[in-house]
Amino acid sequence: MPIKLTKRQYITIAVAVAVAAASLTVALKYFSRAFPEATLHLRVNRGQSETIAREFLIRRGFSLAGYRHAALFNYDDTTKLYLERTQGLTRMNQLTSGPVHLWRWTHRWFKPQQKEEFEVDVTTDGQVVGFSHEIAEAGAGANLSQDQARALAESFLTSVMKRDLNDLDFVEASRIKRPARTDYSFTWKQKSVNLGAGSLRVAVGIDGNQVAGLTQFVKIPEGWTRGYEKIRSHNDAAQEIDQVFWFLLILAMLVILVRRLRDRDVPLRISLVLGLVAVALELLSRLNNFPLEEFYYRTTDSFPNFLTTYFLTAVLGALGIGAVIFLVVASAEPVYRESFPGLLSFRRIFSWNGLRTRSFLMANIVGITLTFFFFAYQTVFYLAANHLGAWAPSDIPFSNQLNTVIPWVAVLFTGFFPAITEEMQFRAFAIPFLKKITKWWPAAIVLAAFNWGFLHAAYPNQPFFIRGVEVGVGGIIIGVVMLRFGILATLIWHYSVDALYEAFILLRSSNHYLMFSGGLCAGVMLIPLI
C-alpha cells in the first residue's frame, strides 16, 4: 500500500525546491568570483607533449630504445603561491601565459637499476623548457675550463633554446670535480621580466663536455619564504591544537565501542559491509594511480621489487582504510541510535524497507538540497571574506586524474570516505556525546562543528582561522539538519559535495566518457531517490 506524505512534508519539499533553486542561481552566478581559477590553456595533451619531448631527445642524439616512460602534469606550488601573493592573480595569469612557464608536462624515460635517465619538461602550449640527462658520477667525460663550459652552455641557449643572451644577466657558476670529468652549472637572470624582489632564472648544467640539463625557474626571495612560513605556521598550529580535541573524541569512541561490544550492541554487519566498500574503492583508486606513481620509481631498486612493494602497500593501505570505516561506524551507530530513537536508524538506511520510508525520502531530498545550499553558502562566505581582506589560492583547472584509466573512481572514493568518517564522528557520535557532557544541544552542535571545522585549518587560506570558521559555521547548519532529518541527510550532503568537487574537472571535459562517468558518480545519491 502506497505511503502518503503529510502536508508538512509537502511543505518541506516545496521549501527544499525553492532553496535549491535559489542556491543554484547564486552559485552559478558568483562561484567563479569567490573561487577564481588560474589561467591554463592545454594546447597540447599528454600524448602530444610526449611526442615533442621524445623528438627533442632524439634530435640531441639520444636513443630511448628499451626505456620505460612515465609522465605527470606538473607545476611548482610554491612558485604559484609566490606569484599569486606578490603579483596578484591577474598578473600571475599574464606571466604564466608568457615568460614564466609554470604549467608543464614532465616526461621521464628510465631503465630499472640503471643510473642514466632522461626528463623533459614541455609547456601546455608545446615548448620544451627543461630537460635533464642524468649519468653516473663515475661516468667518463672531459675536464673543460669554466670559460669553455660556459661557452658550451651559451651556445646551447642560443642555438637550441633560441634564447637571447642580451636579455640574460649572468648570476653564478658552480663546479664539481667528478672522478673522470668536471661538471658545471651556470645560472642567468632574465632582465625583461620584473618579479619585484624575485627573478626569473635559467640554469644550464654541463657534464664533462655535454649539456646535461636545462632548468627555468623563479628565484623566490628567502625573506618572502621565511615570512610565508611564519604565516602558515599559524594555520598548522590551529590545526594541531584542534587535533588534541579530535584525539580525545576518538578515544571516547573507542571506549564506547569496547563497552558496546561487551553488551553485543554493535552493528557488525553494516560496519563490515561499509568497510569492505572502502577497501574496494581505495584499492581500485591506488591501482588506478599506478601510472602516476611509476614516475617516482627509484632506479636503484629492482622493478619487480617496486611492483611488489607498491601493490602490497596498496592492499595494506586499503585494508587500513576499511578498518577505519569499520571502527567509526561500529562505535558511532549505537550512540546515534540510542540518542535519536525517532529518526531512521543507520541499520535501516540500507535495507529495502528503509529505502521505501518517508523518512528516507525526506532525508534524501534535504541532503540534495543541502548540496546546492552549501555551494551557495561557500560562495557568499568567501565573497564577503575576500572583500574584508581574506585570501585563498586560486584553483587549478586540471588534474592528473585525467591521465588515468578510470578517473571516476577518485570521485567515488573522495565522496564516500570523508562522508562516512566525518559524519559518523562529528555528527552521529560527537553531538549526542557532547550533549551528555554539556547538557545543552546548542553547545554540543557548536563544539562538534568547530572541532570538525578547525581540522581544515592547515589549508593555505588566510587569515589562518578563515577556513576553520567557514567549515565550522557550515557544521552548525549541518548539525541542526541532522537533529531534524537524521544522519542520512548529512551523509548524502557530504558525499555529494565532495564528489562534485572532485568531478568538476571531469564534467568540464570535452570527453563524453569523462563527463558521463563523472556526473554519474557525483550524482549517485539520486539513484535511491528515484
Side-chain angles (χ1 to χ4, degrees):
M1 183 177 182
I3 300 175
K4 295 182 179 180
L5 298 179
T6 66
K7 180 179 179 181
R8 185 176 181 180
Q9 288 169 333
Y10 277 119
I11 293 174
T12 300
I13 293 173
V15 171
V17 171
V19 169
S23 299
L24 181 61
T25 301
V26 171
L28 289 176
K29 187 172 183 179
Y30 298 108
F31 188 82
S32 60
R33 287 174 55 184
F35 304 100
E37 289 185 339
T39 299
L40 174 59
H41 300 296
L42 282 173
R43 295 187 175 90
V44 296
N45 59 29
R46 172 177 167 162
Q48 293 167 328
S49 64
E50 179 188 348
T51 300
I52 294 170
R54 185 183 294 273
E55 290 176 350
F56 173 84
L57 292 175
I58 291 174
R59 287 197 302 270
R60 300 287 303 153
F62 299 115
S63 173
L64 300 177
Y67 280 82
R68 296 186 65 90
H69 171 259
L72 288 175
F73 174 75
N74 207 4
Y75 68 94
D76 187 331
D77 189 57
T78 303
T79 298
K80 173 187 173 295
L81 288 172
Y82 170 73
L83 292 175
E84 194 170 349
R85 293 279 289 178
T86 61
Q87 307 296 313
L89 181 59
T90 301
R91 172 65 175 156
M92 186 196 82
N93 285 333
Q94 293 172 347
L95 289 167
T96 55
S97 298
V100 180
H101 303 296
L102 185 61
W103 323 113
R104 308 175 179 195
W105 294 104
T106 300
H107 295 272
R108 181 191 182 200
W109 284 270
F110 62 91
K111 287 183 179 180
Q113 295 186 300
Q114 175 179 292
K115 181 68 173 178
E116 185 176 28
E117 64 175 80
F118 305 91
E119 276 192 20
V120 179
D121 290 332
V122 180
T123 66
T124 53
D125 60 1
Q127 298 181 59
V128 174
V129 293
F131 93 98
S132 69
H133 174 209
E134 187 173 350
I135 59 176
E137 293 183 0
N143 291 288
L144 301 180
S145 68
Q146 181 169 310
D147 288 341
Q148 289 174 319
R150 178 174 170 179
L152 181 60
E154 290 176 342
S155 175
F156 172 77
L157 285 174
T158 55
S159 61
V160 178
M161 303 309 300
K162 310 302 180 185
R163 298 298 296 265
D164 181 5
L165 291 181
N166 293 323
D167 190 32
L168 299 175
D169 270 340
F170 184 72
V171 177
E172 61 183 0
S174 63
R175 174 181 177 274
I176 300 177
K177 185 67 179 72
R178 303 293 187 189
R181 68 178 193 271
T182 302
D183 295 347
Y184 293 91
S185 177
F186 302 97
T187 304
W188 292 263
K189 178 173 67 174
Q190 189 163 334
K191 295 186 288 186
S192 60
V193 180
N194 181 14
L195 298 179
S199 59
L200 181 59
R201 300 194 175 189
V202 57
V204 177
I206 303 294
D207 288 357
N209 60 351
Q210 293 188 5
V211 177
L214 167 73
T215 306
Q216 298 185 46
F217 63 98
V218 172
K219 175 66 175 178
I220 300 174
E222 292 184 6
W224 184 89
T225 301
R226 288 194 298 269
Y228 185 69
E229 288 176 350
K230 184 177 180 180
I231 292 173
R232 290 285 289 115
S233 68
H234 299 310
N235 296 67
D236 296 333
Q239 179 169 300
E240 288 167 3
I241 292 171
D242 192 56
Q243 284 175 336
V244 174
F245 298 99
W246 181 41
F247 173 78
L248 294 175
L249 182 68
I250 293 174
L251 186 62
M253 294 181 74
L254 292 176
V255 170
I256 291 177
L257 174 60
V258 171
R259 291 180 178 178
R260 295 289 183 168
L261 283 170
R262 183 187 59 194
D263 298 336
R264 297 185 178 182
D265 185 29
V266 174
L268 294 177
R269 181 178 178 183
I270 187 62
S271 300
L272 181 61
V273 169
L274 291 175
L276 291 176
V277 171
V279 169
L281 290 177
E282 170 68 359
L283 184 59
L284 189 59
S285 181
R286 288 183 179 238
L287 296 179
N288 183 53
N289 285 335
F290 176 76
L292 305 177
E293 295 298 326
E294 188 181 14
F295 185 89
Y296 300 104
Y297 160 70
R298 294 183 301 177
T299 54
T300 52
D301 300 332
S302 73
F303 200 71
N305 284 345
F306 166 72
L307 291 175
T308 301
T309 301
Y310 181 81
F311 290 116
L312 181 60
T313 302
V315 171
L316 293 176
L319 291 174
I321 290 295
V324 169
I325 291 288
F326 175 87
L327 292 173
V328 167
V329 174
S331 58
E333 192 276 342
V335 175
Y336 172 78
R337 174 170 34 86
E338 181 181 78
S339 302
F340 305 105
L343 297 174
L344 184 66
S345 72
F346 195 79
R347 299 183 187 194
R348 290 192 63 201
I349 287 175
F350 301 99
S351 67
W352 176 243
N353 288 331
L355 289 173
R356 299 167 65 196
T357 61
R358 286 180 295 188
S359 296
F360 183 93
L361 173 67
M362 298 309 298
N364 207 303
I365 291 173
V366 170
I368 292 171
T369 301
L370 267 181
T371 303
F372 288 99
F373 172 80
F374 210 75
F375 279 103
Y377 158 71
Q378 289 184 307
T379 299
V380 172
F381 183 94
Y382 276 102
L383 282 176
N386 295 343
H387 181 72
L388 295 173
W391 176 83
S394 60
D395 293 326
I396 308 302
F398 189 78
S399 167
N400 269 308
Q401 287 296 332
L402 291 180
N403 299 312
T404 61
V405 178
I406 45 175
W408 49 263
V409 72
V411 178
L412 288 174
F413 182 77
T414 302
F416 177 82
F417 184 73
I420 296 293
T421 55
E422 295 176 26
E423 292 310 303
M424 295 306 289
Q425 284 183 80
F426 297 104
R427 251 68 72 181
F429 180 86
I431 291 178
F433 175 75
L434 292 171
K435 162 62 168 57
K436 289 184 178 181
I437 296 175
T438 63
K439 310 299 181 183
W440 195 35
W441 282 115
I445 292 172
V446 170
L447 289 173
F450 281 98
N451 186 196
W452 175 59
F454 273 87
L455 287 176
H456 299 75
Y459 281 66
N461 305 46
Q462 296 299 326
F464 74 92
F465 56 81
I466 194 68
R467 180 74 170 138
V469 171
E470 173 240 317
V471 179
V473 171
I476 294 174
I477 298 170
I478 300 306
V480 172
V481 169
M482 189 209 71
L483 293 185
R484 173 65 182 84
F485 295 98
I487 194 63
L488 177 61
T490 67
L491 282 169
I492 290 173
W493 156 77
H494 204 139
Y495 173 89
S496 300
V497 167
D498 285 356
L500 270 171
Y501 272 124
E502 186 69 24
F504 272 168
I505 195 68
L506 305 182
L507 295 173
R508 295 164 56 181
S509 170
S510 58
N511 184 301
H512 292 112
Y513 162 69
L514 297 180
M515 292 172 62
F516 177 78
S517 62
L520 181 62
C521 293
V524 71
M525 289 303 173
L526 293 172
I527 296 175
L529 175 64
I530 295 171

